[in-house]
């Protein structure tokens, strides 16, 4: 069975966007400014994007707010064909701990992470539908440590559930991750050294 190439699917979709109509809207979940950097540079020429910073998984609270402020700063400063907006979800860490209950000892990259993907993408899809966006997506696939196949699988399931289109993606492809690191340096971004949750922090800093 051949694995799908989500980057090629995205490229084909972008080619098929009607040039004689207003740019479609995209509700884009983002975990942090560095991960959003290349994605916004790439997609803001095709979509009217609203960045949705929704990450109840992030620990500690000071880290959450540091990332939120950096995300807002980047949205303000990045030159784009279509202006990018910013909105923020509620920071309710208990929602994250509830969704991963019983999975605390599972290593990073496994089913605990998949549950976290689903938590954040569900809220993204729900609001995208509620607010009338044409598409929804997440910047998470920019990371080499994130499972793009699982992210797209969850995104497509939620697209069917909420009846709003999922934008297929694997943003790490075509040197996307490399470009994100270049943009991080160019804009002097705060770039964290762990995914975000208390479990990933402990794996990175065991002492």
């Amino acid at each position: 069975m051949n694995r799908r190439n989500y980057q090629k699917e995205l490229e084909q979709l972008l080619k098929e966007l009607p040039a004689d109509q207003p740019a479609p809207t995209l509700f884009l979940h983002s975990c942090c400014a560095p991960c959003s950097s290349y994605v916004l540079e790439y997609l803001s020429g095709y979509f009217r994007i609203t960045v949705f910073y929704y990450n109840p998984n992030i620990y500690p609270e000071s880290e959450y707010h540091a990332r939120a402020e950096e995300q807002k700063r980047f949205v303000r400063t990045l030159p784009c064909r279509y202006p990018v907006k910013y909105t923020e979800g509620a920071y309710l860490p208990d929602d994250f701990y509830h969704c991963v209950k019983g999975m605390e000892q599972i290593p990073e990259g496994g089913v605990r992470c998949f549950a976290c993907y689903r938590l954040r993408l569900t809220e993204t899809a729900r609001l995208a539908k509620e607010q009338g966006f044409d598409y929804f997506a997440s910047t998470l696939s920019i990371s080499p440590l994130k499972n793009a196949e699982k992210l797209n699988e969850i995104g497509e399931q939620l697209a069917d559930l909420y009846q709003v289109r999922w934008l297929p993606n694997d943003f790490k492809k075509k040197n996307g991750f490399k470009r994100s690191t270049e943009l991080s340096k160019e804009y002097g971004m705060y770039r964290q050294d762990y995914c975000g949750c208390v479990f990933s922090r402990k794996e990175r800093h065991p002492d």
Side-chain angles (χ1 to χ4, degrees):
M1 180 176 172
N2 292 330
R3 296 180 66 178
R4 289 169 60 182
N5 187 322
Y6 295 102
Q7 174 60 28
K8 283 190 175 179
E9 291 184 25
L10 173 58
E11 290 171 1
Q12 186 60 38
L13 186 152
L14 296 179
K15 285 180 184 177
E16 294 172 359
L17 291 177
D20 59 346
Q21 295 181 17
T25 54
L26 171 64
F27 199 54
L28 179 67
H29 166 264
S30 178
C31 56
C32 62
C35 285
S36 75
S37 58
Y38 163 74
V39 180
L40 290 175
E41 181 184 66
Y42 178 31
L43 294 183
S44 61
Y46 299 95
F47 298 94
R48 290 171 288 154
I49 300 173
T50 295
V51 170
F52 179 44
Y53 181 80
Y54 170 65
N55 300 290
N57 58 306
I58 294 178
Y59 173 89
E61 185 173 351
S62 59
E63 176 72 15
Y64 170 89
H65 292 298
R67 295 191 193 195
E69 289 305 311
E70 192 70 337
Q71 181 71 77
K72 285 186 275 188
R73 183 179 75 87
F74 182 66
V75 165
R76 288 194 304 267
T77 55
L78 180 71
C80 297
R81 178 182 178 187
Y82 300 110
V84 176
K85 298 178 181 179
Y86 172 90
T87 190
E88 193 170 323
Y91 179 57
L92 300 171
D94 284 347
D95 289 353
F96 167 70
Y97 293 120
H98 177 75
C99 94
V100 301
K101 188 174 178 60
M103 299 182 245
E104 293 87 351
Q105 304 306 315
I106 294 174
E108 280 291 289
V111 294
R112 186 184 66 233
C113 292
F114 301 163
C116 185
Y117 297 169
R118 186 175 294 276
L119 172 68
R120 290 183 282 173
L121 286 175
T122 296
E123 184 67 357
T124 306
R126 184 186 73 79
L127 289 175
K129 175 63 175 179
E130 183 180 285
Q131 298 177 22
F133 282 82
D134 297 311
Y135 293 89
F136 76 104
S138 174
T139 65
L140 287 167
S141 72
I142 192 77
S143 170
L145 302 177
K146 297 294 187 292
N147 187 319
E149 188 171 4
K150 180 58 69 171
L151 282 163
N152 280 278
E153 176 187 311
I154 293 170
E156 289 173 349
Q157 290 169 356
L158 294 170
D160 288 340
L161 180 63
Y162 287 96
Q163 293 299 291
V164 59
R165 284 173 286 186
W166 167 254
L167 192 71
N169 65 83
D170 190 354
F171 294 122
K172 71 178 71 66
K173 297 288 183 71
K174 295 292 183 75
N175 290 318
F177 177 72
K178 179 183 176 185
R179 179 59 181 155
S180 75
T181 62
E182 293 170 351
L183 285 165
S184 294
K185 291 177 182 176
E186 182 181 332
Y187 284 86
M189 287 185 198
Y190 164 63
R191 193 176 182 94
Q192 61 287 339
D193 66 355
Y194 66 102
C195 174
C197 73
V198 64
F199 310 110
S200 64
R201 191 170 189 263
K202 285 179 179 177
E203 282 198 16
R204 182 71 176 178
H205 302 285
D207 296 333

